[in-house]
Amino acid sequence: MIKVKNLHKKFGDLNVLNGIDEHISPGEVVVVIGPSGSGKSTFLRCLNLLEDVTEGEIYVDDQLINTPKIDINKVRQKMGMVFQQFNLFPHLTIMDNITLAPVLLKKMTKDQAVKTGHDLLKRVNLADKAQAYPAQLSGGQKQRVAIARALAMSPEIMLFDEPTSALDPEMVGEVLDVMKDLARSGMTMVIVTHEMGFAREVASRVLFVDQGVIMESGTPEEVFSNPKNERTKLFLSKVL
Amino acid sequence: MTAFQEWFTDFSNLFYKCFIREDRYKLLLEGIGVTIKVSLLAVLIGILIGMLVALCNLSKRKLIRFFGSVYTDVIRGTPSVTQLMIIYFVIFATVDLDKWIIAAIAFGINSGAYVSEIIRAGILSVDHGQTEAGRSLGLNAFQTMTRIVIPQAVKNIFPALCNEFIVLIKETAIVGYVGLMDIQKAGDFIKSATFNAFMPLFGTAVIYYILIKILTLLLRRIEIVLRKSDIR
């Protein structure tokens, strides 16, 4: 579903990604862990080209996407993204946040989109918030709306960039629950997170990223209980 | 007769002479119409140009940024009377358009330079995460700008824009230079016809003041609607 070949990313003189090769299959829940500054968020943001790629190739559904020949907007429509800072549109109601893209991009009529919106809000347990504005919601609620907004485009892949890092501790659970639910439904997911318990429980595969390369990749069991790489061991000894 | 009665009689005689006799109030009414027409069209043109120039100034391409900055530079660097006269007597000299439309174009071009800077500041005030969220959903750059960034920018810059509109309305008081009868010109005309300066000039001032007061109240209402999403 996503294939990454020899991905490099530089910010000026700073090498952030130093050659990443990775293959993500449909239905996989890939959790990316690693110390801060390791390049894990940059890796995720390269997958839908929010960051332009310095070198290497990214394929989505066997289509090379980091080329000017393709319409990146079309590709992004099948890749939902959830951000650390939620990035809800504060000038729109929750319902309008959810329906904006599907209606504007002609995926649905307004009526269909509103109906889908209600279904999605029910799914993230916010059925009563359709007419509220983002400023009226708590962090956890905002992030659940952000997930619903991404799902409204019926994406094939969902990218999560530290979705719980900006939340108060008591709200982390409600967001992770929605994500677990999504994982169980068979959604292909790539998740950058510091929630090791969640990674262990939900991931089908864990990637440990450090210094801009994937140091270790395996099932949660392999990576958490039996890490082979010294850096992985060191990192896990600090966070577990 | 008391001093006050005397003064009042003088005042009402003067008022009658300046505004009622020979239907002079009609000149002022006409002037109000012209001022409003010119201002409204100029505001629209100003916003349109302002948006375009702001986008130029924010462009990634150097050449486009250059055009934007030259525009802002030239317009801000020359007096609006000069601009108005150049546009009226030189650029539109041979074009058959209503006077007031040409004047509105001139004021719009002038206002655009100031509005562009306000809009640029507004766009920069919107968090970059908003753009990323829009693009990640598959919206193109234009859709993201018009549906997500600009509506938020407008809310942020609304007070500054209102200020610019008010300045613009008063700026139109120079259209007399190209022979349009606006409020100022009407007052001036009455001054010449009656050999009295006090009454027509104060009348002019009062009319401008009331117009702008009404506008301010209207704009404040709009601002409250814009701030609807801020309720917590």
Side-chain angles (χ1 to χ4, degrees):
Chain A
M1 181 158 265
I2 303 181
K3 240 178 270 164
V4 179
K5 283 187 188 161
N6 193 31
L7 175 62
H8 287 257
K9 172 68 185 175
K10 280 184 193 176
F11 288 111
D13 286 337
L14 183 70
N15 294 308
V16 184
L17 299 179
N18 297 307
I20 288 192
D21 292 283
E22 180 54 39
H23 184 177
I24 294 161
S25 315
E28 266 198 301
V29 177
V30 177
V31 173
V32 186
I33 60 170
S36 52
S38 60
K40 54 191 191 305
S41 274
T42 306
F43 166 60
L44 190 79
R45 291 162 55 84
C46 282
L47 295 182
N48 66 353
L49 295 195
L50 276 189
E51 300 291 350
D52 50 2
V53 168
T54 311
E55 194 192 322
E57 287 155 7
I58 299 171
Y59 296 86
V60 174
D61 293 339
D62 293 319
Q63 187 184 29
L64 182 68
I65 65 163
N66 57 326
T67 159
K69 283 183 206 132
I70 66 126
D71 180 1
I72 187 62
N73 301 316
K74 281 269 178 304
V75 179
R76 284 177 180 147
Q77 287 173 28
K78 49 186 182 186
M79 304 175 84
M81 184 155 192
V82 175
F83 300 87
Q84 184 177 353
Q85 298 298 336
F86 329 126
N87 296 341
L88 293 184
F89 307 133
H91 61 303
L92 300 178
T93 62
I94 300 308
M95 184 52 81
D96 289 341
N97 262 275
I98 295 173
T99 58
L100 175 77
V103 175
L104 195 59
L105 299 171
K106 308 220 175 358
K107 272 192 85 114
M108 296 179 201
T109 65
K110 180 81 189 170
D111 288 347
Q112 286 170 322
V114 169
K115 196 178 164 301
T116 312
H118 281 299
D119 291 345
L120 286 168
L121 283 177
K122 218 173 283 167
R123 190 163 162 192
V124 299
N125 291 320
L126 290 169
D128 53 334
K129 297 291 185 191
Q131 293 315 313
Y133 282 95
Q136 295 165 293
L137 303 189
S138 73
Q141 292 172 327
K142 281 183 197 167
Q143 196 60 299
R144 284 184 280 151
V145 171
I147 294 172
R149 178 177 70 180
L151 289 176
M153 290 296 293
S154 353
E156 298 167 19
I157 305 159
M158 285 283 284
L159 309 175
F160 293 83
D161 187 5
E162 305 201 23
T164 57
S165 298
L167 295 177
D168 291 337
E170 77 267 24
M171 293 171 183
V172 170
E174 64 194 51
V175 172
L176 294 182
D177 285 343
V178 169
M179 291 168 64
K180 281 178 202 166
D181 196 48
L182 197 57
R184 274 195 292 269
S185 75
M187 175 67 75
T188 310
M189 297 160 79
V190 185
I191 304 162
V192 171
T193 186
H194 294 289
E195 297 290 330
M196 297 304 155
F198 172 80
R200 197 188 273 262
E201 188 188 334
V202 177
S204 48
R205 202 146 54 85
V206 175
L207 304 181
F208 175 70
V209 174
D210 195 14
Q211 296 171 341
V213 291
I214 295 175
M215 293 268 180
E216 189 154 356
S217 161
T219 64
E221 195 63 19
E222 288 165 353
V223 174
F224 286 114
S225 310
N226 198 5
K228 297 189 178 57
N229 189 293
E230 283 307 314
R231 290 200 156 271
T232 320
K233 284 179 196 168
L234 187 67
F235 173 73
L236 289 174
S237 73
K238 283 182 196 157
V239 296
L240 287 182
Chain B
M1 251 205 300
T2 66
F4 175 75
Q5 277 172 325
E6 207 170 308
W7 175 84
F8 186 78
T9 317
D10 280 355
F11 186 89
S12 40
N13 284 341
L14 202 53
F15 190 91
Y16 181 82
K17 181 168 129 195
C18 289
F19 297 137
I20 314 291
R21 191 186 294 162
E22 294 175 26
D23 283 348
R24 290 199 171 111
Y25 67 92
K26 282 188 179 158
L27 279 178
L28 283 166
L29 285 182
E30 210 178 294
I32 293 173
V34 170
T35 297
I36 291 178
K37 268 197 307 196
V38 172
S39 305
L40 274 183
L41 184 59
V43 162
L44 290 181
I45 297 172
I47 291 178
L48 222 71
I49 292 179
M51 235 183 253
L52 267 169
V53 175
L55 291 181
C56 287
N57 283 334
L58 291 167
S59 168
K60 284 197 188 96
R61 291 195 202 125
K62 256 194 175 158
L63 188 70
I64 295 178
R65 272 209 313 270
F66 176 73
F67 280 123
S69 69
V70 166
Y71 184 88
T72 321
D73 233 39
V74 169
I75 297 296
R76 289 202 296 195
T78 52
S80 38
V81 189
T82 318
Q83 291 163 17
L84 173 68
M85 293 177 76
I86 288 175
I87 286 167
Y88 189 87
F89 292 113
V90 182
I91 296 172
F92 281 88
T94 57
V95 183
D96 186 27
L97 261 180
D98 276 358
K99 272 183 184 184
W100 74 271
I101 294 179
I102 301 175
I105 292 173
F107 287 113
I109 288 173
N110 177 275
S111 178
Y114 297 91
V115 171
S116 78
E117 282 300 283
I118 297 174
I119 291 180
R120 191 169 72 95
I123 289 173
L124 290 176
S125 75
V126 177
D127 184 73
H128 190 60
Q130 293 290 313
T131 306
E132 289 190 342
R135 297 306 304 273
S136 80
L137 287 165
L139 308 190
N140 63 33
F142 180 78
Q143 290 163 331
T144 306
M145 193 48 95
T146 52
R147 303 299 294 264
I148 294 167
V149 178
I150 289 181
Q152 294 180 58
V154 165
K155 195 177 82 175
N156 292 346
I157 61 179
F158 194 74
L161 276 182
C162 295
N163 207 31
E164 169 59 24
F165 299 159
I166 288 169
V167 170
L168 175 62
I169 292 175
K170 294 187 292 182
E171 195 104 295
T172 62
I174 58 172
V175 287
Y177 275 92
V178 296
L180 268 168
M181 181 70 83
D182 71 326
I183 303 170
Q184 178 65 42
K185 190 72 189 172
D188 197 43
F189 184 87
I190 295 171
K191 181 183 78 137
S192 316
T194 58
F195 301 109
N196 180 280
F198 167 82
M199 192 57 82
L201 288 182
F202 269 85
T204 305
V206 169
I207 293 171
Y208 273 112
Y209 178 81
I210 291 172
L211 271 186
I212 286 165
K213 192 77 200 170
I214 293 171
L215 179 75
T216 312
L217 292 174
L218 280 176
L219 291 176
R220 195 157 295 160
R221 289 232 154 157
I222 298 175
E223 196 182 350
I224 291 170
V225 176
L226 281 176
R227 300 230 161 262
K228 199 175 53 175
S229 64
D230 290 351
I231 10 157
R232 272 155 214 277

